[in-house]
Amino acid sequence: GQNIDQPTEMTATEGAIVQINCTYQTSGFNGLFWYQQHAGEAPTFLSYNVLDGLEEKGRFSSFLSRSKGYSYLLLKELQMKDSASYLCAVKTGANNLFFGTGTRLTVIP
Amino acid sequence: DVKVTQSSRYLVKRTGEKVFLECVQDMDHENMFWYRQDPGLGLRLIYFSYDVKMKEKGDIPEGYSVSREKKERFSLILESASTNQTSMYLCASSLVGDGDGYTFGSGTRLTVV
């Protein structure tokens, strides 16, 4: 079977740093994606990792360890607008993404 | 700047009705997907298509069918709607081997009464 685990909810303070973890066991691996989804809206692409290591993109960074089946999304200098769900997804074949259930992040003043 | 368009944002249908959800993309993507999203279950793949007139079952195809007659359009069909198909339906498209992942539509919130 396939499984992606991520925390259901997290709370962090404006201006702080938060790390959202994702562990996966999938039948195939062709890359790992992070998406952001605000309530009532479509998911939007944040990051893509296919090789081990850290990918940095502005305030957001994503890390991958394929041997450990582990990834994290790091959000720095948190802003209120970062309150959203963050979805971890693994590309298991040539085209398909398998999604985790998402982590709902609440940023408080 | 709309790229993936779903025909309806909200839809209410009666049990037993045949329901069509339409999705159109203007990015010339080969791949198109239909997911449903439910609280606590995340996004689950219903069907996908990697070419015109081609379709593949996803993880939860029961009670659904799809049609892809043109590259830009991918339709999801609920043959006989049931209350357990009340959900948010998301369409997405992507290029083959696209490291940028999917582009999603805004979703259709379907309620079956």
Side-chain angles (χ1 to χ4, degrees), chain B residues 47-107:
Chain B
Y47 266 97
F48 66 99
S49 168
Y50 51 87
D51 202 352
V52 176
K53 297 192 184 294
M54 304 300 288
K55 60 183 179 182
E56 294 283 345
K57 293 180 180 179
D59 299 317
I60 51 164
E62 297 78 17
Y64 303 94
S65 63
V66 290
S67 172
R68 191 161 183 207
E69 296 297 318
K70 294 183 178 181
K71 188 176 185 180
E72 66 270 20
R73 185 181 296 271
F74 192 36
S75 302
L76 179 70
I77 304 155
L78 286 67
E79 297 291 343
S80 177
S82 63
T83 55
N84 62 13
Q85 292 178 310
T86 292
S87 185
M88 169 68 84
Y89 289 87
L90 288 164
C91 174
S93 70
S94 75
L95 291 169
V96 174
D98 185 8
D100 288 334
Y102 295 179
T103 300
F104 282 90
S106 297

Coordinates of all heavy atoms in Angstrom, one line a residue, chain B residues 47-107:
Chain B
Y47 N -9.9 9.5 -11.7 CA -9.5 9.1 -13.0 C -8.4 10.0 -13.5 O -8.4 11.2 -13.1 CB -10.7 9.1 -14.0 CG -11.4 7.8 -14.1 CD1 -12.6 7.6 -13.4 CD2 -11.0 6.9 -15.1 CE1 -13.3 6.4 -13.6 CE2 -11.7 5.7 -15.2 CZ -12.9 5.5 -14.5 OH -13.6 4.3 -14.7
F48 N -7.6 9.6 -14.5 CA -6.8 10.5 -15.2 C -6.7 10.1 -16.6 O -7.1 9.0 -17.0 CB -5.4 10.5 -14.5 CG -4.6 9.3 -14.6 CD1 -3.6 9.1 -15.5 CD2 -4.8 8.3 -13.6 CE1 -2.8 7.9 -15.5 CE2 -4.1 7.1 -13.6 CZ -3.1 6.9 -14.6
S49 N -6.1 11.0 -17.4 CA -6.0 10.8 -18.8 C -4.7 11.4 -19.3 O -4.3 12.5 -18.9 CB -7.2 11.5 -19.6 OG -6.9 11.6 -21.0
Y50 N -3.9 10.7 -20.1 CA -2.7 11.1 -20.6 C -2.7 11.5 -22.1 O -1.7 11.8 -22.6 CB -1.5 10.2 -20.2 CG -1.8 8.7 -20.7 CD1 -1.5 8.3 -22.0 CD2 -2.4 7.8 -19.8 CE1 -1.7 7.0 -22.4 CE2 -2.6 6.5 -20.2 CZ -2.3 6.1 -21.5 OH -2.5 4.8 -21.9
D51 N -3.9 11.3 -22.7 CA -4.0 11.7 -24.1 C -5.5 11.7 -24.4 O -6.3 11.1 -23.7 CB -3.2 10.6 -24.9 CG -2.8 11.2 -26.3 OD1 -3.3 12.3 -26.7 OD2 -2.1 10.5 -27.0
V52 N -5.7 12.3 -25.6 CA -7.1 12.3 -26.1 C -7.6 10.9 -26.2 O -6.9 10.0 -26.7 CB -7.2 13.0 -27.4 CG1 -8.6 12.9 -28.0 CG2 -6.8 14.5 -27.2
K53 N -8.9 10.6 -25.7 CA -9.6 9.4 -25.8 C -8.9 8.3 -24.9 O -9.3 7.1 -24.9 CB -9.7 8.9 -27.2 CG -10.6 9.8 -28.1 CD -10.9 9.1 -29.4 CE -11.7 10.1 -30.3 NZ -13.0 10.4 -29.7
M54 N -7.9 8.6 -24.1 CA -7.3 7.7 -23.2 C -7.7 8.0 -21.8 O -7.9 9.2 -21.4 CB -5.7 7.8 -23.3 CG -5.2 7.6 -24.7 SD -5.6 5.9 -25.4 CE -4.6 4.9 -24.4
K55 N -7.9 7.0 -21.0 CA -8.3 7.2 -19.6 C -7.7 6.0 -18.8 O -7.6 4.9 -19.3 CB -9.8 7.3 -19.4 CG -10.5 6.0 -19.9 CD -12.0 6.2 -19.8 CE -12.8 5.0 -20.3 NZ -14.3 5.2 -20.2
E56 N -7.4 6.3 -17.5 CA -7.0 5.3 -16.6 C -7.7 5.5 -15.3 O -7.9 6.6 -14.8 CB -5.4 5.5 -16.4 CG -4.6 5.2 -17.6 CD -4.4 3.7 -17.9 OE1 -4.7 2.9 -17.0 OE2 -4.0 3.4 -19.0
K57 N -8.0 4.4 -14.6 CA -8.6 4.5 -13.3 C -7.6 4.9 -12.3 O -6.4 4.5 -12.3 CB -9.2 3.1 -12.9 CG -10.4 2.7 -13.8 CD -10.9 1.3 -13.3 CE -12.1 0.9 -14.2 NZ -12.6 -0.5 -13.8
G58 N -8.1 5.7 -11.3 CA -7.3 6.1 -10.2 C -7.5 5.2 -9.0 O -7.8 4.0 -9.2
D59 N -7.5 5.7 -7.8 CA -7.7 4.9 -6.6 C -9.2 4.7 -6.3 O -9.5 3.7 -5.6 CB -7.0 5.6 -5.4 CG -5.5 5.8 -5.7 OD1 -4.9 4.8 -6.2 OD2 -5.0 6.9 -5.4
I60 N -10.1 5.6 -6.7 CA -11.5 5.4 -6.3 C -12.4 5.7 -7.5 O -13.2 6.6 -7.5 CB -11.9 6.4 -5.2 CG1 -11.4 7.8 -5.5 CG2 -11.2 5.9 -3.8 CD1 -12.1 8.8 -4.6
P61 N -12.3 4.8 -8.6 CA -13.1 5.1 -9.8 C -14.6 4.6 -9.7 O -15.4 5.0 -10.6 CB -12.4 4.3 -10.8 CG -11.8 3.1 -10.0 CD -11.5 3.7 -8.7
E62 N -14.9 3.9 -8.7 CA -16.3 3.3 -8.7 C -17.4 4.4 -8.6 O -17.3 5.3 -7.8 CB -16.4 2.4 -7.4 CG -15.5 1.2 -7.5 CD -14.1 1.5 -7.0 OE1 -13.9 2.6 -6.4 OE2 -13.2 0.7 -7.4
G63 N -18.3 4.3 -9.5 CA -19.4 5.3 -9.5 C -19.2 6.4 -10.4 O -20.0 7.3 -10.6
Y64 N -18.0 6.4 -11.1 CA -17.6 7.6 -11.9 C -17.2 7.0 -13.3 O -16.7 5.9 -13.4 CB -16.4 8.3 -11.3 CG -16.6 8.9 -9.9 CD1 -16.2 8.2 -8.8 CD2 -17.2 10.1 -9.8 CE1 -16.4 8.7 -7.5 CE2 -17.4 10.7 -8.5 CZ -17.0 9.9 -7.4 OH -17.2 10.4 -6.1
S65 N -17.3 7.9 -14.3 CA -16.6 7.7 -15.6 C -16.1 9.0 -16.1 O -16.4 10.0 -15.5 CB -17.6 7.0 -16.6 OG -18.7 7.9 -16.8
V66 N -15.3 8.9 -17.1 CA -14.7 10.2 -17.7 C -14.8 10.1 -19.2 O -15.0 9.1 -19.8 CB -13.3 10.4 -17.2 CG1 -13.2 10.7 -15.8 CG2 -12.4 9.1 -17.6
S67 N -14.6 11.3 -19.8 CA -14.6 11.5 -21.2 C -13.5 12.5 -21.6 O -13.5 13.6 -21.0 CB -15.9 11.9 -21.7 OG -15.9 12.2 -23.1
R68 N -12.7 12.2 -22.6 CA -11.7 13.1 -23.1 C -11.7 13.0 -24.6 O -10.9 12.3 -25.2 CB -10.3 12.9 -22.5 CG -9.4 14.1 -22.8 CD -8.2 14.1 -21.9 NE -7.4 15.3 -22.2 CZ -6.1 15.3 -21.9 NH1 -5.5 14.3 -21.4 NH2 -5.4 16.4 -22.2
E69 N -12.6 13.8 -25.2 CA -12.7 13.9 -26.6 C -11.8 14.9 -27.3 O -11.4 14.7 -28.4 CB -14.2 14.2 -27.0 CG -15.2 13.1 -26.6 CD -14.9 11.8 -27.3 OE1 -14.6 11.8 -28.5 OE2 -15.0 10.8 -26.6
K70 N -11.4 15.9 -26.5 CA -10.5 16.9 -27.0 C -9.4 17.1 -25.9 O -9.6 16.9 -24.8 CB -11.1 18.2 -27.2 CG -12.2 18.2 -28.4 CD -12.7 19.6 -28.6 CE -13.7 19.6 -29.8 NZ -14.3 20.9 -30.1
K71 N -8.2 17.5 -26.4 CA -7.0 17.6 -25.5 C -7.3 18.5 -24.3 O -6.9 18.3 -23.2 CB -5.8 18.1 -26.3 CG -4.5 18.0 -25.5 CD -3.3 18.4 -26.4 CE -2.0 18.3 -25.6 NZ -0.9 18.7 -26.5
E72 N -8.0 19.6 -24.6 CA -8.2 20.6 -23.5 C -9.3 20.3 -22.6 O -9.5 21.0 -21.6 CB -8.4 22.0 -24.2 CG -9.7 22.1 -25.0 CD -9.6 21.7 -26.4 OE1 -8.6 21.0 -26.8 OE2 -10.5 22.1 -27.2
R73 N -10.2 19.3 -22.8 CA -11.4 19.1 -22.0 C -11.4 17.7 -21.5 O -11.2 16.7 -22.2 CB -12.6 19.4 -22.9 CG -13.9 19.3 -22.2 CD -15.1 19.5 -23.1 NE -15.0 20.9 -23.7 CZ -15.6 22.0 -23.2 NH1 -16.3 21.8 -22.1 NH2 -15.5 23.1 -23.8
F74 N -11.7 17.7 -20.1 CA -11.8 16.4 -19.4 C -13.0 16.4 -18.6 O -13.1 17.3 -17.7 CB -10.5 16.2 -18.6 CG -10.3 14.8 -18.1 CD1 -10.7 13.7 -18.8 CD2 -9.7 14.6 -16.8 CE1 -10.5 12.4 -18.3 CE2 -9.5 13.3 -16.3 CZ -9.9 12.2 -17.0
S75 N -13.9 15.5 -18.8 CA -15.2 15.6 -18.1 C -15.3 14.4 -17.2 O -14.9 13.3 -17.5 CB -16.4 15.5 -19.2 OG -16.3 16.5 -20.1
L76 N -15.9 14.7 -16.0 CA -16.1 13.6 -15.0 C -17.7 13.4 -15.0 O -18.4 14.4 -14.9 CB -15.6 14.1 -13.6 CG -15.9 13.1 -12.5 CD1 -15.0 11.8 -12.7 CD2 -15.6 13.7 -11.1
I77 N -18.1 12.2 -15.0 CA -19.5 11.8 -15.1 C -19.8 10.9 -13.9 O -19.2 9.9 -13.6 CB -19.8 11.1 -16.4 CG1 -19.4 11.9 -17.6 CG2 -21.3 10.7 -16.5 CD1 -19.1 11.1 -18.8
L78 N -20.8 11.4 -13.1 CA -21.4 10.5 -12.1 C -22.7 9.9 -12.7 O -23.6 10.6 -13.0 CB -21.8 11.4 -10.9 CG -20.6 11.9 -10.0 CD1 -19.7 12.9 -10.7 CD2 -21.2 12.5 -8.7
E79 N -22.6 8.6 -12.9 CA -23.6 7.9 -13.7 C -25.0 8.0 -13.0 O -26.0 8.2 -13.6 CB -23.2 6.5 -13.9 CG -22.0 6.3 -14.8 CD -22.2 6.7 -16.2 OE1 -23.4 6.9 -16.7 OE2 -21.2 7.0 -16.9
S80 N -25.0 7.8 -11.6 CA -26.2 7.9 -10.8 C -25.8 8.4 -9.5 O -25.3 7.7 -8.6 CB -26.8 6.5 -10.7 OG -28.0 6.6 -9.9
A81 N -25.9 9.7 -9.3 CA -25.3 10.4 -8.1 C -25.9 9.8 -6.8 O -27.1 9.5 -6.7 CB -25.6 11.9 -8.2
S82 N -25.0 9.7 -5.8 CA -25.4 9.2 -4.5 C -24.9 10.2 -3.5 O -24.0 11.0 -3.7 CB -24.9 7.8 -4.3 OG -23.4 7.8 -4.2
T83 N -25.5 10.1 -2.3 CA -25.1 11.1 -1.3 C -23.7 11.0 -0.8 O -23.1 12.0 -0.4 CB -26.0 10.9 0.0 OG1 -26.0 9.6 0.4 CG2 -27.5 11.3 -0.4
N84 N -23.1 9.8 -1.0 CA -21.7 9.6 -0.6 C -20.7 10.2 -1.6 O -19.5 10.1 -1.5 CB -21.3 8.2 -0.3 CG -21.5 7.3 -1.4 OD1 -21.6 7.7 -2.6 ND2 -21.4 6.0 -1.2
Q85 N -21.3 10.8 -2.7 CA -20.5 11.5 -3.7 C -20.5 13.0 -3.4 O -19.9 13.7 -4.2 CB -20.9 11.1 -5.1 CG -20.6 9.7 -5.4 CD -21.1 9.3 -6.8 OE1 -22.3 9.6 -7.2 NE2 -20.2 8.7 -7.6
T86 N -21.1 13.4 -2.4 CA -21.0 14.8 -2.0 C -19.6 15.1 -1.6 O -19.0 14.4 -0.7 CB -22.0 15.1 -0.8 OG1 -23.3 15.0 -1.2 CG2 -21.7 16.4 -0.2
S87 N -19.0 16.1 -2.3 CA -17.6 16.3 -2.1 C -17.1 17.5 -2.8 O -17.9 18.1 -3.6 CB -16.7 15.1 -2.5 OG -15.4 15.2 -2.3
M88 N -15.8 17.9 -2.6 CA -15.2 18.9 -3.5 C -14.4 18.1 -4.6 O -13.6 17.2 -4.2 CB -14.2 19.7 -2.6 CG -13.3 20.6 -3.5 SD -14.2 21.9 -4.3 CE -14.2 23.2 -3.0
Y89 N -14.7 18.5 -5.8 CA -14.0 17.9 -6.9 C -13.1 18.8 -7.6 O -13.4 20.0 -7.9 CB -15.1 17.4 -8.0 CG -15.9 16.2 -7.5 CD1 -17.0 16.4 -6.7 CD2 -15.5 14.9 -7.7 CE1 -17.8 15.4 -6.2 CE2 -16.2 13.8 -7.2 CZ -17.3 14.1 -6.5 OH -18.0 13.0 -6.0
L90 N -11.8 18.4 -7.7 CA -10.8 19.2 -8.2 C -10.2 18.6 -9.5 O -9.9 17.4 -9.6 CB -9.6 19.3 -7.2 CG -9.9 20.2 -6.0 CD1 -8.9 20.0 -4.9 CD2 -9.9 21.7 -6.4
C91 N -10.1 19.4 -10.6 CA -9.5 19.0 -11.8 C -8.1 19.5 -11.8 O -7.9 20.6 -11.3 CB -10.4 19.5 -13.0 SG -9.6 19.3 -14.6
A92 N -7.2 18.8 -12.5 CA -5.8 19.3 -12.6 C -5.3 18.9 -13.9 O -5.7 17.9 -14.6 CB -5.0 18.8 -11.5
S93 N -4.2 19.6 -14.4 CA -3.5 19.2 -15.6 C -2.0 19.3 -15.4 O -1.6 20.1 -14.5 CB -4.0 20.1 -16.8 OG -3.5 21.4 -16.7
S94 N -1.3 18.6 -16.2 CA 0.2 18.7 -16.1 C 0.8 18.3 -17.5 O 0.2 17.6 -18.3 CB 0.7 17.9 -15.0 OG 0.7 16.5 -15.4
L95 N 2.0 18.8 -17.7 CA 2.8 18.3 -18.8 C 3.4 16.9 -18.4 O 3.5 16.5 -17.2 CB 4.0 19.2 -19.1 CG 3.6 20.6 -19.7 CD1 4.8 21.5 -19.7 CD2 3.1 20.4 -21.1
V96 N 3.8 16.1 -19.4 CA 4.4 14.8 -19.1 C 5.8 15.1 -18.5 O 6.5 15.9 -19.0 CB 4.6 14.0 -20.4 CG1 5.4 12.8 -20.2 CG2 3.3 13.7 -21.0
G97 N 6.1 14.5 -17.3 CA 7.3 14.7 -16.7 C 7.5 16.1 -16.2 O 8.7 16.5 -16.0
D98 N 6.5 16.8 -15.9 CA 6.6 18.2 -15.5 C 7.0 18.3 -14.0 O 6.2 17.9 -13.1 CB 5.2 18.8 -15.7 CG 5.2 20.3 -15.4 OD1 6.3 20.9 -15.2 OD2 4.1 20.9 -15.4
G99 N 8.2 18.9 -13.8 CA 8.6 19.1 -12.4 C 7.8 20.1 -11.7 O 8.0 20.3 -10.5
D100 N 7.0 20.9 -12.4 CA 6.2 21.9 -11.7 C 4.9 21.3 -11.2 O 4.1 22.0 -10.6 CB 5.9 23.0 -12.7 CG 7.1 23.9 -12.9 OD1 8.0 23.9 -12.0 OD2 7.2 24.5 -14.0
G101 N 4.7 20.0 -11.4 CA 3.5 19.4 -10.8 C 2.2 19.8 -11.6 O 2.2 20.0 -12.8
Y102 N 1.2 19.8 -10.8 CA -0.1 20.0 -11.4 C -0.5 21.5 -11.3 O -0.1 22.2 -10.4 CB -1.2 19.3 -10.6 CG -1.2 17.8 -10.6 CD1 -2.1 17.0 -9.9 CD2 -0.2 17.1 -11.3 CE1 -2.1 15.7 -9.9 CE2 -0.2 15.7 -11.4 CZ -1.1 15.0 -10.6 OH -1.1 13.6 -10.6
T103 N -1.4 21.9 -12.2 CA -2.1 23.1 -12.1 C -3.6 22.8 -11.8 O -4.2 22.0 -12.6 CB -2.0 24.0 -13.3 OG1 -0.7 24.3 -13.6 CG2 -2.8 25.3 -13.2
F104 N -4.1 23.3 -10.7 CA -5.5 22.9 -10.3 C -6.5 23.9 -10.8 O -6.2 25.1 -10.9 CB -5.6 22.7 -8.8 CG -5.0 21.5 -8.3 CD1 -3.7 21.4 -7.9 CD2 -5.8 20.3 -8.1 CE1 -3.1 20.2 -7.4 CE2 -5.2 19.2 -7.6 CZ -3.9 19.1 -7.3
G105 N -7.7 23.4 -11.0 CA -8.9 24.3 -11.1 C -9.4 24.7 -9.8 O -8.9 24.3 -8.7
S106 N -10.3 25.6 -9.8 CA -10.8 26.2 -8.5 C -11.7 25.2 -7.7 O -12.1 25.5 -6.6 CB -11.6 27.5 -8.8 OG -10.8 28.4 -9.3
G107 N -12.1 24.1 -8.4 CA -12.9 23.1 -7.7 C -14.4 23.3 -7.9 O -14.9 24.4 -8.1

